[in-house]
Amino acid sequence: MPFDQLDQIELPKSVTGETVLDVKHWTDSLFSFQITRPASFRFRSGEFVMIGLMVDGKPLLRAYSVASPAWDDKLEFFSIKVQDGPLTSRLQNIKPGDMVLLGKKPTGTLVLDALLPGKRLYMFSTGTGIAPFASVIRDPETYERYDEVILTHTCRTVAELEYGNQLVKDLVEDPLVGEMVEGKLRHYTSVTREDFPRMGRITNLIESGKLFEDLGVPKLNPEEDRVMICGSMDMLKDTKELTESFGLTEGSNAAPGQFVVERAFVG
Ligand code: A2P
């Protein structure tokens, strides 16, 4: 719906109507979009918020990780397209100038404050689970807190890695954080269903020790390492168990720990 029709509909009190600024389609099943950010909208890098559309006069909302950093004046999101999905079948058609609904209350556990201080920060992501980390790796505070920042991204196909590849490339060239990132941020990609120089699930790469060998770092350990995990329910379960097997304990906003998990939301 065009933004100028906004005053003709009644929005629920829990959301604001924001304008779509940009939409980028990465594959048949992945797209990202940017919307305006109201001055009152505050969040911590890594948090998620409700996003949606008015459908038949009613709000249809789903949780989305904010992919942009807290300092940015725009908000960015990275989404799958589900052809018969109630929201994403519609959301994938948005164009600049359209209106989307933005929840007023961001929240989440993939935030720096939910982790104890450490030397190395790992972010293990699969598929659209990279979204909250797109925010965290663009936050200067991440590099103030950690000596090494390791973002892993595993997808089924090579094309699905492109959002992350572009993100890291732009970041290195960014005037604000580019210098801070240099020599600290490592981007580690793998693919599971297509030929690629590095293949395999992140769980297998951790278990075999290949991840640590490739990076030239010690195995996961609770003294130095902190971990954020975001992917499907199965990926979370397996990666969490594996992380725990190295002796790391889970944290939360109320009680910071050595690792935190959050499901990658399905729009
Ligand atoms: P695979 O191709 O072997 O299933 P999805 O789109 O299903 O969320 O998958 C995204 C990526 O996450 C794929 O590379 C997939 O590997 C991987 N993956 C799926 N389940 C798990 C799991 N339980 N642990 C680790 N990685 C997983």
Side-chain angles (χ1 to χ4, degrees):
M1 170 181 307
F3 191 74
D4 54 14
Q5 288 174 22
L6 176 58
D7 53 359
Q8 293 166 26
I9 52 165
E10 204 173 312
L11 293 182
K13 288 203 169 51
S14 59
V15 302
T16 56
E18 300 303 324
T19 309
V20 176
L21 300 171
D22 192 31
V23 184
K24 191 156 182 186
H25 294 271
W26 298 90
T27 68
D28 286 351
S29 60
L30 292 172
F31 72 113
S32 60
F33 57 98
Q34 294 184 331
I35 64 171
T36 49
R37 173 178 178 179
S40 59
F41 186 85
R42 311 198 65 121
F43 72 104
R44 295 178 298 169
S45 297
E47 287 189 318
F48 65 87
V49 67
M50 301 309 284
I51 285 284
L53 295 170
M54 291 302 287
V55 176
D56 301 331
K58 290 196 212 102
L60 179 61
L61 298 156
R62 294 287 184 271
Y64 273 92
S65 291
V66 183
S68 46
W71 51 260
D72 205 337
D73 60 358
K74 301 180 289 284
L75 294 172
E76 181 181 305
F77 301 91
F78 183 45
S79 179
I80 52 166
K81 307 176 195 176
V82 182
Q83 294 319 326
D84 55 358
L87 180 61
T88 62
S89 62
R90 297 176 166 97
L91 198 60
Q92 64 182 281
N93 297 318
I94 54 171
K95 301 266 177 315
D98 287 352
M99 183 193 73
V100 300
L101 305 178
L102 170 71
K104 290 181 180 170
K105 287 211 171 107
T107 181
T109 55
L110 300 179
V111 292
L112 295 172
D113 287 345
L115 291 174
L116 295 166
K119 177 176 178 191
R120 222 173 274 116
L121 175 64
Y122 283 95
M123 286 167 271
F124 296 133
S125 71
T126 55
T128 55
I130 193 175
F133 305 143
S135 179
V136 174
I137 66 164
R138 289 188 272 188
D139 189 333
E141 206 181 327
T142 304
Y143 304 92
E144 286 162 18
R145 293 202 191 193
Y146 294 95
D147 295 340
E148 286 178 77
V149 176
I150 298 158
L151 168 65
T152 81
H153 192 204
T154 304
C155 292
R156 295 180 181 198
T157 66
V158 178
E160 289 167 349
L161 294 174
E162 192 49 30
Y163 174 80
N165 288 340
Q166 195 62 51
L167 168 79
V168 171
K169 185 171 170 285
D170 289 348
L171 183 56
V172 172
E173 289 163 11
D174 186 280
L176 182 67
V177 264
E179 237 170 78
M180 258 188 284
V181 165
E182 215 183 333
K184 281 197 165 190
L185 175 66
R186 321 271 305 263
H187 181 215
Y188 187 92
T189 51
S190 71
V191 163
T192 51
R193 302 196 189 187
E194 236 177 44
D195 271 347
F196 191 65
R198 190 181 300 120
M199 300 199 53
R201 290 183 171 194
I202 189 62
T203 40
N204 296 337
L205 294 163
I206 295 172
E207 254 171 340
S208 68
K210 180 166 168 48
L211 172 72
F212 312 110
E213 275 165 37
D214 286 349
L215 293 171
V217 295
K219 282 198 173 164
L220 267 189
N221 67 83
E223 289 76 34
E224 294 178 313
D225 294 327
R226 301 295 170 256
V227 175
M228 294 178 169
I229 308 170
C230 190
S232 65
M233 289 306 269
D234 286 348
M235 180 273 192
L236 288 194
K237 182 176 172 291
D238 293 350
T239 315
K240 177 185 148 123
E241 278 173 17
L242 200 50
T243 302
E244 283 173 334
S245 76
F246 287 89
L248 281 76
T249 53
E250 189 167 0
S252 66
N253 277 293
Q258 291 155 340
F259 77 92
V260 282
V261 299
E262 202 146 75
R263 127 160 236 226
F265 304 103
V266 178

